[in-house]
Amino acid sequence: MHLKITILKYMKRNNMLALLAVFTMTLVQAQESLVVENVETPTVQKDTVKPPFKRYKAEGVAAVVGDYVVLDSDIDKGYLEFQQQGISIEDITRCQLLGKLMEDKLYLHQAVQDSIVVVDSEINPEVDQLLQIMTSEIGSEEKLLKFYRKNSLPELRSELFTARKNLKLSGRMQAKVVENVEITPEEIREFFFAIPEDERPVFSAEVEVAQIVAEPQITKEAKQEAIDRLNQMREDILNNGISFATKAGLYSEDGSKTRGGLIEGVKRNSQYVKEFKDQAFSLLEGEISEPFETIFGFHILKVDKIRGQEIDVRHILIYPDVPQSSIDAAKEKMEKVRTGILDSVVTFAEAARLYSEEKETRNNGGILVNPVTYDTWFDLTKMDPELSAKVYNLKPGEVSKIFTERDRTGKATYKIYTVNRRNEEHPAEYATDYERIKELALKEKKIRAIEAWQNKQIKETYVSVNEDYQECEFSSDWIKTSN
């Protein structure tokens, strides 16, 4: 019975954490100021804590964990963030949100104690990408600033940077807690057979998907036009006194434009394309490269600062325009490939190897690799919603219609999909589903390790929980040790 309860607790908690991950990733936390902004508290369940919550006063502190404060407004903003993303808050209580926020602060506090480091150069590209996505989804920078009640993009970026860095530190601390947790085959067997047969997990339907991609070709004229634009910018910088940062801020088509094209802490083993690193490490400090091409477009690059084995660079990225004739040719090519497959002239796998323009998949017949599990199977309930919608109703061997997809530059590509293999939803079987059962058993063991670590650290860390939350039933022992 204890095992059953633990499994249910894990599953319920995992769903909760999945929602909270969305909140924590994008929420701009007002840690620096204890003044609550004029935010209306959402209507939420109130019967989980008695007496019912009152309207929260300004400067309300919900809890303190070590050197970190959790505000009532952080909880309020969590609900608002969920609502903005269309996530139901009906089953999410203030106690649950507070418990998760306190756990994050505990990890953050201990990460500082253990001298865990996250360098700024690791966070900056992630914040740039996040700002791009948020701006795209909300419609404009002006709307984004209004939504987050910020006066400028640098102000919003600074708070997103802090939130993202704290999240990364917390994640690394949690990973450190469970890094040595392993599970034996005997533990896996005991885990599975301790679950009553009628209560064993049901595994969702999963599919193996393959794709063929046709991309519009960029003409020589379009490439030369991009090179000419960059050469003109380089001329203005070198001979007309215009700063590189100004040009990057005005014209670069890259997320770093908000920082004048600045990319800090580039190393020879950094995850940038080879051409970019080759240029960066071939220049002297202050020198500007000639235009060069990568898979992302055309660049010019300036070395801002050399610091031993690391360099700070600025760059300007320009995407060549794609003419309509190339777009039409790519679409026509895909139509012919699809017709050939449907008429059994060529198999899908053969067509992928012959015609697909995506290097990562064409050599293995177009088969996609799951970025989470690194195998070729995708759980239909967890895969990317856009991909799921395209393959959900496909039978094995069936070919989809042609889909048009656009990348962050607006460039269109044409794709067709097929499902090679499909496993329908089924109750867990020990032999058939051993790897998935092993994953569940290992997660369960890690959760027990995390809970033990949390309760130990709570005893050794200053914790204070506001009296309004004293009747919360937290998963960890926050109340008994609160001051």
Side-chain angles (χ1 to χ4, degrees), residues 6 10 177-178 180-184 187-188 191 438-452:
T6 306
Y10 157 69
V177 172
V178 298
N180 295 320
V181 176
E182 297 178 344
I183 196 161
T184 66
E187 287 176 313
I188 299 168
F191 169 84
K438 176 183 178 180
E439 182 183 348
L440 284 178
L442 182 58
K443 284 182 178 178
E444 172 67 18
K445 189 172 181 179
K446 286 182 177 180
I447 286 172
R448 291 199 300 268
I450 287 170
E451 288 175 344

Side-chain angles (χ1 to χ4, degrees), residues 347-405:
T347 67
F348 196 99
E350 290 169 342
R353 283 187 279 268
L354 289 170
Y355 306 116
S356 183
E357 294 173 70
E358 185 176 74
K359 295 179 181 178
E360 293 82 4
T361 60
R362 68 185 181 195
N363 290 330
N364 65 343
I367 297 175
L368 299 178
V369 174
N370 189 323
V372 177
T373 61
Y374 300 105
D375 62 19
T376 59
W377 289 99
F378 289 81
D379 185 327
L380 278 170
T381 64
K382 296 178 182 177
M383 70 190 303
D384 177 86
E386 290 189 12
L387 179 58
S388 176
K390 293 166 184 172
V391 304
Y392 191 89
N393 293 317
L394 288 180
K395 298 174 183 177
E398 188 177 358
V399 180
S400 74
K401 67 178 185 179
I402 298 173
F403 293 98
T404 306
E405 299 181 7

Side-chain angles (χ1 to χ4, degrees), residues 272-282 292-296 299 301:
Y272 296 100
V273 292
K274 181 179 183 297
E275 299 89 344
F276 187 91
K277 289 189 290 186
D278 286 348
Q279 287 288 334
F281 285 97
S282 68
F292 63 95
E293 185 178 8
T294 72
I295 59 172
F296 300 104
H299 313 246
L301 183 148

Side-chain angles (χ1 to χ4, degrees), residues 173-213:
M173 187 65 240
Q174 188 177 55
K176 182 179 178 181
V177 172
V178 298
E179 64 183 351
N180 295 320
V181 176
E182 297 178 344
I183 196 161
T184 66
E186 181 59 23
E187 287 176 313
I188 299 168
R189 191 191 69 79
E190 289 178 359
F191 169 84
F192 180 76
F193 288 105
I195 308 172
E197 191 169 341
D198 60 347
E199 295 175 7
R200 288 174 184 167
V202 174
F203 290 132
S204 304
E206 56 183 2
V207 291
E208 185 181 75
V209 179
Q211 68 177 14
I212 297 174
V213 180

Side-chain angles (χ1 to χ4, degrees), residues 170-450:
S170 298
R172 289 192 178 166
M173 187 65 240
Q174 188 177 55
K176 182 179 178 181
V177 172
V178 298
E179 64 183 351
N180 295 320
V181 176
E182 297 178 344
I183 196 161
T184 66
E186 181 59 23
E187 287 176 313
I188 299 168
R189 191 191 69 79
E190 289 178 359
F191 169 84
F192 180 76
F193 288 105
I195 308 172
E197 191 169 341
D198 60 347
E199 295 175 7
R200 288 174 184 167
V202 174
F203 290 132
S204 304
E206 56 183 2
V207 291
E208 185 181 75
V209 179
Q211 68 177 14
I212 297 174
V213 180
E215 296 182 356
Q217 298 301 304
I218 300 172
T219 63
K220 291 182 180 179
E221 292 77 13
K223 290 183 178 181
Q224 188 59 51
E225 183 180 343
I227 293 170
D228 291 343
R229 286 182 63 194
L230 288 171
N231 274 325
Q232 183 59 57
M233 292 182 203
R234 187 173 184 273
E235 177 75 14
D236 287 343
I237 295 165
L238 291 174
N239 299 323
N240 297 328
I242 306 297
S243 77
F244 196 104
T246 298
K247 284 289 188 182
L250 288 172
Y251 301 112
S252 184
E253 298 176 70
D254 176 74
S256 66
K257 68 179 295 181
T258 59
R259 292 176 285 114
L262 179 63
I263 300 176
E264 298 175 291
V266 179
K267 301 178 182 178
R268 291 187 183 275
N269 62 350
S270 295
Q271 292 184 339
Y272 296 100
V273 292
K274 181 179 183 297
E275 299 89 344
F276 187 91
K277 289 189 290 186
D278 286 348
Q279 287 288 334
F281 285 97
S282 68
L283 301 173
L284 300 175
E285 190 170 303
E287 193 175 0
I288 300 174
S289 74
E290 299 284 345
F292 63 95
E293 185 178 8
T294 72
I295 59 172
F296 300 104
F298 287 86
H299 313 246
I300 54 174
L301 183 148
K302 175 187 177 184
V303 174
D304 244 28
K305 186 74 174 177
I306 297 175
R307 296 182 280 106
Q309 298 302 309
E310 292 186 1
I311 57 175
D312 298 339
V313 302
R314 294 184 187 271
H315 83 131
I316 299 171
L317 171 66
I318 298 294
Y319 304 124
D321 292 329
V322 180
Q324 186 61 46
S325 58
S326 294
I327 296 173
D328 294 340
K331 185 176 181 181
E332 183 180 355
K333 172 185 175 180
M334 184 58 77
E335 288 170 347
K336 290 181 178 178
V337 169
R338 184 174 185 273
T339 299
I341 297 169
L342 294 176
D343 291 344
S344 300
V345 174
V346 64
T347 67
F348 196 99
E350 290 169 342
R353 283 187 279 268
L354 289 170
Y355 306 116
S356 183
E357 294 173 70
E358 185 176 74
K359 295 179 181 178
E360 293 82 4
T361 60
R362 68 185 181 195
N363 290 330
N364 65 343
I367 297 175
L368 299 178
V369 174
N370 189 323
V372 177
T373 61
Y374 300 105
D375 62 19
T376 59
W377 289 99
F378 289 81
D379 185 327
L380 278 170
T381 64
K382 296 178 182 177
M383 70 190 303
D384 177 86
E386 290 189 12
L387 179 58
S388 176
K390 293 166 184 172
V391 304
Y392 191 89
N393 293 317
L394 288 180
K395 298 174 183 177
E398 188 177 358
V399 180
S400 74
K401 67 178 185 179
I402 298 173
F403 293 98
T404 306
E405 299 181 7
R406 298 186 183 276
D407 63 17
R408 59 192 178 92
T409 73
K411 177 183 174 184
T413 59
Y414 296 96
K415 295 184 180 182
I416 55 174
Y417 297 92
T418 192
V419 169
N420 288 342
R421 295 183 290 169
R422 185 183 187 109
N423 290 331
E424 298 301 336
E425 183 180 282
H426 63 282
E429 298 176 6
Y430 184 70
T432 306
D433 301 304
Y434 181 82
E435 289 301 321
R436 297 170 87 172
I437 294 166
K438 176 183 178 180
E439 182 183 348
L440 284 178
L442 182 58
K443 284 182 178 178
E444 172 67 18
K445 189 172 181 179
K446 286 182 177 180
I447 286 172
R448 291 199 300 268
I450 287 170

Side-chain angles (χ1 to χ4, degrees), residues 456-482:
K456 177 179 180 292
Q457 293 305 130
I458 288 170
K459 292 176 182 178
E460 299 174 0
T461 305
Y462 175 80
V463 176
S464 179
V465 180
N466 186 290
E467 62 181 8
D468 287 337
Y469 298 91
Q470 289 290 316
E471 294 188 25
C472 285
E473 294 185 5
F474 296 115
S475 59
S476 294
D477 196 10
W478 296 103
I479 300 296
K480 290 181 181 180
T481 58
S482 64

